[in-house]
Amino acid sequence: MPASAGAEPGLGAGSWLLNGRMAGVPERPPRSLRPRYPVRSERLLLRPLTAGDADALLAYRGREDVCRFVPFEPMSRRDITERIAAPWARTELTDEGQSLTLGVEVSGTGELAGDVVLFWRSRPHAGGELGYIFNPGFGGRGYATEAANATLRLGFEELGLHRIIARIDERNGPSVRLARRLGMRQEARLVRNEFFKGEWSTELDFAMLAEEWPASRAPDL
């Protein structure tokens, strides 16, 4: 089921070269991702989640409306603290099948606006997947687009992925618009392909290739 959620208006684009080749295009298969934290963008800090984030996470991950089109139910405080202690405690990607979840902190205030996730789906095919979920109270400021753009940079430039996808419930309009703002290309519309939360859902599949990334890359990254 789609992993992506959230969205707001976003940033611009740019294209550039590095050592005579397009930046973001991998020269070898992905090996590992060990970011230097915090990962900075123009207004945000992406960093590992901590126990101190529990209240902020509960404020949106505990909401039924926020979780409507994502593959989990509204979370309790216990759900969140267990995830902070286990799956969300990962700070690096060393092999396929792993995921890296990072909190999105507003650098000027220290508030947690949401979180993003990068899945390493395949080593031989250098494939990944992007996910995101944000507190609606921070909507309309472009934070989701900025954070997702920074996550794509981690996947393409640091991990060396060849292709990153986003799978989104068609009814999740804000998330669909965000994928398009990022420059991701809609590749498929899977009509009523899953029985999801009591009803049939239609999935939109978006993707971006490493060679397409430089044209969508935010100027400040």
Side-chain angles (χ1 to χ4, degrees), residues 58 60-68 72-76 79 197:
L58 185 62
Y60 60 96
R61 280 182 167 265
R63 289 177 51 164
E64 186 171 349
D65 59 335
V66 173
C67 298
R68 176 67 185 88
F72 53 83
E73 299 294 338
M75 293 183 175
S76 66
D79 294 331
K197 296 186 176 180

Side-chain angles (χ1 to χ4, degrees), residues 137-149:
F138 290 86
R141 310 181 206 182
Y143 290 155
T145 307
E146 186 174 336
N149 199 288

Side-chain angles (χ1 to χ4, degrees), residues 11 22 25 32-33 62 68 100 112-113 117 119 139 142 155 160 173 200 203 207 209 217-218:
L11 302 178
M22 294 190 74
V25 177
S32 63
L33 171 63
R68 176 67 185 88
L100 179 65
L112 190 75
V117 58
F119 301 90
W200 289 106
E203 177 182 320
L209 299 175
R217 183 183 186 273

Side-chain angles (χ1 to χ4, degrees), residues 151-165:
T151 308
L152 289 174
R153 180 183 66 79
L154 290 177
F156 286 128
E157 298 183 21
E158 297 197 25
L159 182 54
L161 294 175
H162 163 68
R163 173 183 167 89
I164 297 177
I165 66 169

Side-chain angles (χ1 to χ4, degrees), residues 69-153:
F69 301 119
V70 295
F72 53 83
E73 299 294 338
M75 293 183 175
S76 66
R77 181 177 297 278
R78 179 176 179 178
D79 294 331
I80 287 170
T81 56
E82 288 178 349
R83 283 165 172 77
I84 290 173
W88 296 346
R90 181 179 298 280
T91 60
E92 62 184 23
L93 296 178
T94 58
D95 205 353
E96 64 180 12
Q98 298 175 351
S99 63
L100 179 65
T101 300
L102 299 176
V104 179
E105 179 182 316
V106 181
S107 58
T109 66
E111 297 171 289
L112 190 75
D115 56 269
V116 292
V117 58
L118 179 64
F119 301 90
W120 187 354
R121 294 301 192 193
S122 171
R123 176 183 288 275
H125 303 297
E129 183 173 350
L130 170 69
Y132 38 84
I133 184 165
F134 278 75
N135 188 327
F138 290 86
R141 310 181 206 182
Y143 290 155
T145 307
E146 186 174 336
N149 199 288
T151 308
L152 289 174
R153 180 183 66 79

